[in-house]
Amino acid sequence: MAVATMGVTVLDCRNPRELAEFYAAVLGWRIDDEDGGDWVELIGPHGRQLAFQASPDHQPPRWPSTEMPQQFHLDLDVPRDQLEAAEAEVLRLGATLLEGDNGGTRDWRVYADPAGHPFCLCVH
């Protein structure tokens, strides 16, 4: 018997609203900002949630270094024929490319969101 069920995934960052807007644009999810700043949630399909919590001293991970490890990352699925367009859009929204797909030999590319959290666009 399970002890618990999975709830919301939360990213620490300096500016929750700003990071929520980035992921809302990437995922097409709705922003729910009831408390006005220190905690912002995105509401997605099927009850999925992603939240952002204020952490004024947040230090982004240095990927792929172990000096300040990533601790976790998000894998975002993209159809193969839309990977280039998805990359252009996340870069336009403020992401930074950390590692490409090795000339097309891998099915993922690694980016940092505007707060420095690593995430991948993965061919699905």
Side-chain angles (χ1 to χ4, degrees), residues 16 27 43 55 58 103 108:
L27 297 169
I43 310 300
S55 177
H58 175 261
W108 72 90

Side-chain angles (χ1 to χ4, degrees), residues 7-124:
V8 64
T9 299
V10 183
L11 297 177
D12 287 352
C13 56
R14 292 177 188 239
N15 187 328
R17 179 69 189 200
E18 182 179 281
L19 197 55
E21 288 173 356
F22 170 81
Y23 280 104
V26 170
L27 297 169
W29 292 9
R30 176 179 58 85
I31 294 176
D32 183 2
D33 185 7
E34 290 182 10
D35 94 358
D38 286 346
W39 179 274
V40 180
E41 292 181 356
L42 291 184
I43 310 300
H46 312 292
R48 293 181 182 153
Q49 292 179 297
L50 182 59
F52 309 92
Q53 175 176 274
S55 177
D57 296 325
H58 175 261
Q59 295 295 314
R62 292 190 190 124
W63 189 90
S65 170
T66 56
E67 185 179 315
M68 289 189 70
Q70 68 176 333
Q71 298 175 354
F72 82 101
H73 70 274
L74 300 172
D75 282 347
L76 307 178
D77 293 338
V78 177
R80 182 174 302 281
D81 65 347
Q82 295 177 21
L83 182 60
E84 296 301 324
E87 176 175 275
E89 185 63 8
V90 299
L91 295 175
R92 186 189 71 75
L93 291 167
T96 303
L97 178 66
L98 298 177
E99 186 174 289
D101 58 8
N102 200 22
T105 62
R106 295 191 319 208
D107 287 337
W108 72 90
R109 297 174 184 172
V110 184
Y111 305 84
D113 68 24
H117 304 103
F119 72 93
C120 296
L121 292 181
C122 302
V123 171
H124 177 57

